[in-house]
Amino acid sequence: MSKKTILILVLPLFLLVYNSCKETTPNDTTKIETSVDNGTNDEIINSTATDSLGRTITMIFNNSQDNVTVIFEGDTVLLTSQKPASGIWYKNENFELRGKGKETVFSKDGNVIFKNNLNLL
């Protein structure tokens, strides 16, 4: 098996175990679900985050195709993976999604339209 195949198989399991073993606070609303068998052999990871205003962003990561579908306030956009130094970074012509740890920042035309930061403890 190649290193990439091993990573694809182990990463969702690691994320699931990591998130289930850590302590959560009432403000910790990041949710990660893992689904591997979707009929296309793509590795899909679903994640949601909620900001301080109660707005929710849904992110459907397709790690096999290096993209993410973002659903936020009626918009559904497809973003392509970029090369971050760490964390995540996806973008298209108008939208950009960045994140690290539990922080998620979603921008449209350079303006932040969603941001949660649950690391303020």
PDB file of all heavy atoms in Angstrom, residues 62-77:
ATOM      1  N   ASN A  62     -14.110  16.091   0.024  1.00  0.00           N
ATOM      2  CA  ASN A  62     -13.828  14.927  -0.813  1.00  0.00           C
ATOM      3  C   ASN A  62     -12.307  14.870  -0.944  1.00  0.00           C
ATOM      4  O   ASN A  62     -11.725  15.521  -1.806  1.00  0.00           O
ATOM      5  CB  ASN A  62     -14.493  15.041  -2.183  1.00  0.00           C
ATOM      6  CG  ASN A  62     -14.302  13.788  -3.008  1.00  0.00           C
ATOM      7  OD1 ASN A  62     -13.284  13.113  -2.913  1.00  0.00           O
ATOM      8  ND2 ASN A  62     -15.279  13.474  -3.838  1.00  0.00           N
ATOM      9  N   ASN A  63     -11.695  14.113  -0.058  1.00  0.00           N
ATOM     10  CA  ASN A  63     -10.230  14.058  -0.026  1.00  0.00           C
ATOM     11  C   ASN A  63      -9.654  13.328  -1.225  1.00  0.00           C
ATOM     12  O   ASN A  63      -8.508  13.546  -1.589  1.00  0.00           O
ATOM     13  CB  ASN A  63      -9.750  13.428   1.275  1.00  0.00           C
ATOM     14  CG  ASN A  63     -10.035  14.332   2.446  1.00  0.00           C
ATOM     15  OD1 ASN A  63     -10.126  15.544   2.305  1.00  0.00           O
ATOM     16  ND2 ASN A  63     -10.209  13.758   3.622  1.00  0.00           N
ATOM     17  N   SER A  64     -10.434  12.476  -1.865  1.00  0.00           N
ATOM     18  CA  SER A  64      -9.960  11.778  -3.059  1.00  0.00           C
ATOM     19  C   SER A  64      -9.828  12.735  -4.238  1.00  0.00           C
ATOM     20  O   SER A  64      -8.955  12.576  -5.083  1.00  0.00           O
ATOM     21  CB  SER A  64     -10.913  10.649  -3.432  1.00  0.00           C
ATOM     22  OG  SER A  64     -11.024   9.735  -2.366  1.00  0.00           O
ATOM     23  N   GLN A  65     -10.709  13.743  -4.299  1.00  0.00           N
ATOM     24  CA  GLN A  65     -10.682  14.696  -5.398  1.00  0.00           C
ATOM     25  C   GLN A  65     -10.108  16.053  -4.988  1.00  0.00           C
ATOM     26  O   GLN A  65     -10.108  16.993  -5.771  1.00  0.00           O
ATOM     27  CB  GLN A  65     -12.096  14.882  -5.957  1.00  0.00           C
ATOM     28  CG  GLN A  65     -12.652  13.619  -6.559  1.00  0.00           C
ATOM     29  CD  GLN A  65     -14.031  13.815  -7.159  1.00  0.00           C
ATOM     30  OE1 GLN A  65     -14.494  14.921  -7.360  1.00  0.00           O
ATOM     31  NE2 GLN A  65     -14.688  12.718  -7.464  1.00  0.00           N
ATOM     32  N   ASP A  66      -9.623  16.170  -3.756  1.00  0.00           N
ATOM     33  CA  ASP A  66      -9.030  17.412  -3.233  1.00  0.00           C
ATOM     34  C   ASP A  66      -9.964  18.609  -3.389  1.00  0.00           C
ATOM     35  O   ASP A  66      -9.560  19.671  -3.866  1.00  0.00           O
ATOM     36  CB  ASP A  66      -7.683  17.708  -3.902  1.00  0.00           C
ATOM     37  CG  ASP A  66      -6.573  16.826  -3.371  1.00  0.00           C
ATOM     38  OD1 ASP A  66      -6.693  16.348  -2.226  1.00  0.00           O
ATOM     39  OD2 ASP A  66      -5.595  16.608  -4.092  1.00  0.00           O
ATOM     40  N   ASN A  67     -11.227  18.448  -2.956  1.00  0.00           N
ATOM     41  CA  ASN A  67     -12.138  19.579  -2.989  1.00  0.00           C
ATOM     42  C   ASN A  67     -13.089  19.509  -1.804  1.00  0.00           C
ATOM     43  O   ASN A  67     -13.112  18.532  -1.069  1.00  0.00           O
ATOM     44  CB  ASN A  67     -12.898  19.664  -4.321  1.00  0.00           C
ATOM     45  CG  ASN A  67     -13.791  18.480  -4.585  1.00  0.00           C
ATOM     46  OD1 ASN A  67     -14.389  17.909  -3.685  1.00  0.00           O
ATOM     47  ND2 ASN A  67     -13.882  18.080  -5.841  1.00  0.00           N
ATOM     48  N   VAL A  68     -13.844  20.587  -1.627  1.00  0.00           N
ATOM     49  CA  VAL A  68     -14.839  20.650  -0.565  1.00  0.00           C
ATOM     50  C   VAL A  68     -16.072  21.352  -1.110  1.00  0.00           C
ATOM     51  O   VAL A  68     -15.966  22.302  -1.880  1.00  0.00           O
ATOM     52  CB  VAL A  68     -14.299  21.370   0.693  1.00  0.00           C
ATOM     53  CG1 VAL A  68     -13.952  22.823   0.407  1.00  0.00           C
ATOM     54  CG2 VAL A  68     -15.292  21.295   1.849  1.00  0.00           C
ATOM     55  N   THR A  69     -17.228  20.858  -0.734  1.00  0.00           N
ATOM     56  CA  THR A  69     -18.481  21.536  -1.027  1.00  0.00           C
ATOM     57  C   THR A  69     -18.910  22.222   0.261  1.00  0.00           C
ATOM     58  O   THR A  69     -19.000  21.583   1.309  1.00  0.00           O
ATOM     59  CB  THR A  69     -19.562  20.536  -1.482  1.00  0.00           C
ATOM     60  OG1 THR A  69     -19.094  19.868  -2.655  1.00  0.00           O
ATOM     61  CG2 THR A  69     -20.864  21.247  -1.784  1.00  0.00           C
ATOM     62  N   VAL A  70     -19.140  23.530   0.184  1.00  0.00           N
ATOM     63  CA  VAL A  70     -19.527  24.314   1.350  1.00  0.00           C
ATOM     64  C   VAL A  70     -20.973  24.752   1.179  1.00  0.00           C
ATOM     65  O   VAL A  70     -21.350  25.269   0.123  1.00  0.00           O
ATOM     66  CB  VAL A  70     -18.613  25.549   1.521  1.00  0.00           C
ATOM     67  CG1 VAL A  70     -19.071  26.399   2.692  1.00  0.00           C
ATOM     68  CG2 VAL A  70     -17.171  25.121   1.704  1.00  0.00           C
ATOM     69  N   ILE A  71     -21.766  24.548   2.228  1.00  0.00           N
ATOM     70  CA  ILE A  71     -23.153  24.998   2.234  1.00  0.00           C
ATOM     71  C   ILE A  71     -23.289  26.007   3.370  1.00  0.00           C
ATOM     72  O   ILE A  71     -23.050  25.683   4.541  1.00  0.00           O
ATOM     73  CB  ILE A  71     -24.114  23.812   2.440  1.00  0.00           C
ATOM     74  CG1 ILE A  71     -23.880  22.753   1.368  1.00  0.00           C
ATOM     75  CG2 ILE A  71     -25.563  24.295   2.454  1.00  0.00           C
ATOM     76  CD1 ILE A  71     -24.542  21.425   1.649  1.00  0.00           C
ATOM     77  N   PHE A  72     -23.650  27.249   2.994  1.00  0.00           N
ATOM     78  CA  PHE A  72     -23.771  28.313   3.990  1.00  0.00           C
ATOM     79  C   PHE A  72     -24.815  29.322   3.533  1.00  0.00           C
ATOM     80  O   PHE A  72     -24.710  29.887   2.445  1.00  0.00           O
ATOM     81  CB  PHE A  72     -22.421  29.013   4.201  1.00  0.00           C
ATOM     82  CG  PHE A  72     -22.461  30.122   5.213  1.00  0.00           C
ATOM     83  CD1 PHE A  72     -22.695  29.846   6.546  1.00  0.00           C
ATOM     84  CD2 PHE A  72     -22.279  31.429   4.823  1.00  0.00           C
ATOM     85  CE1 PHE A  72     -22.736  30.870   7.478  1.00  0.00           C
ATOM     86  CE2 PHE A  72     -22.312  32.459   5.750  1.00  0.00           C
ATOM     87  CZ  PHE A  72     -22.538  32.173   7.082  1.00  0.00           C
ATOM     88  N   GLU A  73     -25.816  29.527   4.359  1.00  0.00           N
ATOM     89  CA  GLU A  73     -26.877  30.501   4.119  1.00  0.00           C
ATOM     90  C   GLU A  73     -27.435  30.445   2.700  1.00  0.00           C
ATOM     91  O   GLU A  73     -27.548  31.449   2.004  1.00  0.00           O
ATOM     92  CB  GLU A  73     -26.396  31.907   4.455  1.00  0.00           C
ATOM     93  CG  GLU A  73     -26.121  32.088   5.931  1.00  0.00           C
ATOM     94  CD  GLU A  73     -25.839  33.522   6.324  1.00  0.00           C
ATOM     95  OE1 GLU A  73     -25.341  34.314   5.499  1.00  0.00           O
ATOM     96  OE2 GLU A  73     -26.125  33.853   7.484  1.00  0.00           O
ATOM     97  N   GLY A  74     -27.761  29.250   2.245  1.00  0.00           N
ATOM     98  CA  GLY A  74     -28.384  29.082   0.941  1.00  0.00           C
ATOM     99  C   GLY A  74     -27.420  28.955  -0.226  1.00  0.00           C
ATOM    100  O   GLY A  74     -27.820  28.614  -1.323  1.00  0.00           O
ATOM    101  N   ASP A  75     -26.144  29.263  -0.023  1.00  0.00           N
ATOM    102  CA  ASP A  75     -25.145  29.107  -1.082  1.00  0.00           C
ATOM    103  C   ASP A  75     -24.500  27.728  -0.967  1.00  0.00           C
ATOM    104  O   ASP A  75     -24.164  27.275   0.123  1.00  0.00           O
ATOM    105  CB  ASP A  75     -24.032  30.159  -0.960  1.00  0.00           C
ATOM    106  CG  ASP A  75     -24.475  31.543  -1.371  1.00  0.00           C
ATOM    107  OD1 ASP A  75     -25.325  31.643  -2.280  1.00  0.00           O
ATOM    108  OD2 ASP A  75     -23.969  32.518  -0.792  1.00  0.00           O
ATOM    109  N   THR A  76     -24.325  27.074  -2.092  1.00  0.00           N
ATOM    110  CA  THR A  76     -23.576  25.818  -2.164  1.00  0.00           C
ATOM    111  C   THR A  76     -22.456  26.039  -3.172  1.00  0.00           C
ATOM    112  O   THR A  76     -22.717  26.335  -4.332  1.00  0.00           O
ATOM    113  CB  THR A  76     -24.477  24.657  -2.625  1.00  0.00           C
ATOM    114  OG1 THR A  76     -25.550  24.518  -1.694  1.00  0.00           O
ATOM    115  CG2 THR A  76     -23.694  23.358  -2.688  1.00  0.00           C
ATOM    116  N   VAL A  77     -21.211  25.965  -2.689  1.00  0.00           N
ATOM    117  CA  VAL A  77     -20.073  26.252  -3.561  1.00  0.00           C
ATOM    118  C   VAL A  77     -19.049  25.122  -3.482  1.00  0.00           C
ATOM    119  O   VAL A  77     -18.886  24.489  -2.450  1.00  0.00           O
ATOM    120  CB  VAL A  77     -19.394  27.595  -3.203  1.00  0.00           C
ATOM    121  CG1 VAL A  77     -20.329  28.748  -3.465  1.00  0.00           C
ATOM    122  CG2 VAL A  77     -18.930  27.630  -1.770  1.00  0.00           C
TER     123      VAL A  77
END
